[in-house]
Amino acid sequence: MSKLEDIVSLCKRRGFIFPGSDVYGGMAGTWDFGPLGVTLKKKIMDAWWEYFVESREDVYGIDAAIIMNPRTWIASGHTATFADPLVECKECKSRFRADKIADGINESVTTEEFLATHTKCPVCGKENWGPIRKFNMMFSTHVGAVLPEDTADNPELAEKNIAYLRPETAQGIFTNYKNVIDTIYPNLPFGLAQQGKAFRNEISPRDFILRDRECSQMEIEYFVAPDTWEENFEKMRSLQHDFLENIIGLDSKNIHELEVPKEDRAFYSKRTIDFMFDYPNGEEELMGLAYRTDFDLKNIERESGKSMEYRDKQTGETFVPHVIEPSIGVERLFLAVISTAYTEDEINGEKRIVLKLPENLAPYRFCVSPLLKNKPELVRKAQEVYDKLRKKYINVTWDDSGNIGKRYRKQDEIGTPKCIVIDFDTLEDDTVTIRDRDTTEQIRVNIADL
Ligand code: GAP
């Protein structure tokens, strides 16, 4: 098995991540987070929120609706241009994203350019392709009491009732920019941050949770005076490294910046750095840092007829701010965290799997166990210790299944940094054993000092 397959298997076995709608055979590109996964995911999201919002005076949070007025997507350019190059194999009818199966081309590839790559179909091995078609990745839905037959002969009405699931959280921020200015009028530069679901009808979801049809994003739109964008871009760039390396614990050796060339940049960006990460299956984009200029606010001005100008508090000068945008997918960060932590080693000749998660992210910080489950005096004492710790920490778990060796293996696999065991000595001298996940070393500690 590859390392990615090992991680997928651990995630399912231990209740981190299950395939979406598993009981019905799954649903491509969707994943469900189980009890441990949801805790780890929440800790990652909380760490981001604390670092980028709560601990800063210049960043404010918002939580916008997922379904937005469709004019949002006309103004942002998504209706016209948020599309991938779709190509169909005429032999086996399989469909692919052209730029993902051929080398040396990008998203704007033409049919001629694609055919010149002489790519073979990854499914049937033949080379017989249809033309490249643009496939818009937004999921559409109908809003209100409109049945498909009501609009069958009336495309105008149909279009009026179509809404989209947001393909990025960013537009929920841009459309609230004016509300924030009109209510709290922050000093410039300031940021608006949001965490939430985004939906993309990916042609080929793949690599476990790396490319999903439903994902969660954490984004900041950082509004700056136009002539200060470069210095703010640099500040944001070093904050991203600090967060990823010092708060989340990713190894800087596995993060590589990629200056995205003009022809590969999103339609709204004048400069983008992709932060690439060495995932088990190779290097992939973890997050992006983009200079979006005044593209979005100007588009909103045009579409809504409302001014998006900011009035400088000192000089009285008015202008439309420019925007620096760090954007990261929660699932991609989750996979980076778990693949960094996933370790196979050997302790006293016995192979084990251990998740060396940073303590601030581990789903449980402590596991409390009675050495033997059939000795009521040990169970009683262990329960006392467990209750005591739970008053102080929220992430404490209880484990009395199997024998002690099996419990250690299980806690190693879910990344619990410390296991506390109550044995017969505890009943004599009120000390317990604390076992360290990474070194497996054990020390004796007084219960009073825990
Ligand atoms: N607002 C800018 C934006 O959405 P993006 O590069 O399309 O830019 C930003 O997406 C981040 O969101 C990516 O770097 C990635 O971490 C995450 N992301 C995007 N599409 C994804 C998908 N289909 N599955 C999982 N994560 C995704």
Side-chain angles (χ1 to χ4, degrees):
M1 285 213 293
S2 70
K3 183 171 172 189
L4 185 64
E5 285 166 339
D6 289 335
I7 290 172
V8 176
S9 154
L10 172 77
C11 282
K12 182 156 189 195
R13 192 169 71 244
R14 293 300 185 191
F16 282 93
I17 299 178
F18 309 116
S21 320
D22 202 11
V23 75
Y24 294 114
M27 171 90 190
T30 68
W31 298 91
D32 296 341
F33 286 77
L36 292 181
V38 84
T39 311
L40 175 53
K41 182 179 174 191
K42 188 168 180 312
K43 286 189 172 196
I44 291 173
M45 293 174 80
D46 287 351
W48 186 91
W49 194 258
E50 192 184 326
Y51 184 87
F52 285 109
V53 187
E54 286 172 349
S55 71
R56 299 185 63 95
E57 290 184 335
D58 58 344
V59 181
Y60 306 85
I62 69 151
D63 185 15
I66 286 175
I67 297 177
M68 303 177 68
N69 188 312
R71 287 168 72 194
T72 309
W73 309 112
I74 295 170
S76 69
H78 283 81
T79 310
T81 51
F82 191 58
D84 276 343
L86 174 73
V87 69
E88 184 176 289
C89 169
K90 286 204 228 161
E91 300 288 333
C92 70
K93 308 290 174 217
S94 300
R95 291 180 170 190
F96 304 94
R97 229 180 102 168
D99 58 327
K100 292 289 169 199
I101 56 167
D103 291 329
I105 56 170
N106 60 34
E107 289 158 9
S108 51
V109 61
T110 62
T111 302
E112 291 66 38
E113 283 163 355
F114 176 72
L115 294 180
T117 63
H118 292 293
T119 302
K120 304 240 180 312
C121 171
V123 173
C124 69
K126 307 250 172 60
E127 192 191 324
N128 185 10
W129 297 105
I132 298 273
R133 286 179 292 165
K134 285 285 173 197
F135 175 74
N136 194 297
M137 291 200 292
M138 286 197 291
F139 279 104
S140 60
T141 185
H142 286 90
V143 173
V146 179
L147 298 167
E149 54 264 38
D150 297 339
T151 58
D153 304 325
N154 190 342
E156 220 170 85
L157 182 64
E159 193 153 326
K160 238 172 88 187
N161 286 284
I162 281 182
Y164 299 95
L165 303 186
R166 66 181 178 202
E168 61 169 10
T169 60
Q171 295 304 322
I173 297 180
F174 288 121
T175 47
N176 276 290
Y177 156 86
K178 187 169 159 46
N179 287 334
V180 173
I181 299 287
D182 291 349
T183 48
I184 61 174
Y185 194 13
N187 291 330
L188 208 69
F190 72 92
L192 294 179
Q194 178 166 222
Q195 300 183 329
K197 292 269 184 178
F199 303 82
R200 297 179 182 192
N201 196 0
E202 296 281 353
I203 296 171
S204 346
R206 63 183 168 83
D207 288 338
F208 190 30
I209 52 172
L210 200 76
R211 189 169 293 283
D212 312 319
R213 293 198 166 122
E214 177 179 335
C215 67
S216 301
Q217 288 185 319
M218 306 191 282
E219 301 197 296
I220 300 173
E221 306 307 324
Y222 198 67
F223 299 93
V224 305
D227 57 352
T228 65
W229 79 266
E230 275 163 311
E231 66 198 71
N232 283 301
F233 190 93
E234 287 310 317
K235 270 190 214 153
M236 269 299 162
R237 183 179 183 176
S238 69
L239 286 176
Q240 304 313 309
H241 282 287
D242 186 41
F243 172 71
L244 295 173
E245 291 153 29
N246 300 324
I247 307 292
I248 294 296
L250 302 186
D251 191 336
S252 60
K253 286 205 295 289
N254 295 331
I255 301 171
H256 315 283
E257 287 191 1
L258 174 75
E259 185 77 49
V260 181
K262 188 164 185 264
E263 60 277 16
D264 290 343
R265 284 201 295 263
F267 50 90
Y268 49 71
S269 173
K270 268 223 171 130
R271 184 179 181 197
T272 298
I273 293 179
D274 281 346
F275 286 57
M276 309 298 284
F277 185 78
D278 294 325
Y279 287 100
N281 272 13
E283 193 180 284
E284 286 281 355
E285 178 187 325
L286 165 63
M287 61 160 294
L289 176 66
Y291 167 44
R292 286 181 86 129
T293 67
D294 54 4
F295 177 85
D296 300 273
L297 292 182
K298 282 269 174 69
N299 284 339
I300 295 177
E301 275 192 337
R302 218 171 294 125
E303 183 68 25
S304 70
K306 298 193 176 116
S307 168
M308 295 293 131
E309 285 192 330
Y310 179 88
R311 189 167 182 282
D312 189 284
K313 289 183 185 174
Q314 263 85 51
T315 63
E317 190 197 346
T318 56
F319 53 88
V320 175
H322 282 216
V323 171
I324 311 295
E325 178 198 66
S327 170
I328 187 160
V330 177
E331 289 76 10
R332 289 199 189 175
L333 188 51
F334 187 109
L335 188 56
V337 166
I338 214 153
S339 51
T340 301
Y342 184 93
T343 313
E344 289 178 9
D345 62 14
E346 218 175 287
I347 299 292
N348 302 329
E350 204 188 320
K351 286 204 165 94
R352 69 164 186 164
I353 293 171
V354 50
L355 272 193
K356 296 189 174 177
L357 292 168
E359 282 205 26
N360 60 329
L361 298 182
Y364 300 119
R365 296 186 80 139
F366 304 104
C367 170
V368 179
S369 282
L371 180 65
L372 299 169
K373 148 186 196 177
N374 56 2
K375 297 285 173 203
E377 63 276 33
L378 291 185
V379 175
R380 233 182 349 261
K381 191 73 185 167
Q383 185 72 45
E384 262 174 45
V385 175
Y386 177 66
D387 291 342
K388 182 180 159 164
L389 279 175
R390 274 179 67 89
K391 284 207 184 94
K392 203 162 158 63
Y393 300 99
I394 45 171
N395 300 117
V396 184
T397 187
W398 170 271
D399 193 355
D400 60 9
S401 61
N403 63 36
I404 193 71
K406 279 207 178 118
R407 283 180 227 161
Y408 285 155
R409 289 300 90 87
K410 175 178 164 196
Q411 296 303 323
D412 286 347
E413 282 200 7
I414 65 175
T416 309
K418 303 273 187 262
C419 285
I420 298 170
V421 178
I422 283 72
D423 56 21
F424 290 105
D425 288 344
T426 314
L427 304 178
E428 303 294 319
D429 61 8
D430 247 20
T431 63
V432 292
T433 299
I434 303 185
R435 173 191 179 268
D436 183 85
R437 175 195 68 196
D438 298 346
T439 62
T440 74
E441 268 167 24
Q442 304 190 4
I443 52 167
R444 283 306 281 189
V445 170
N446 270 311
I447 291 177
D449 297 333
L450 271 178

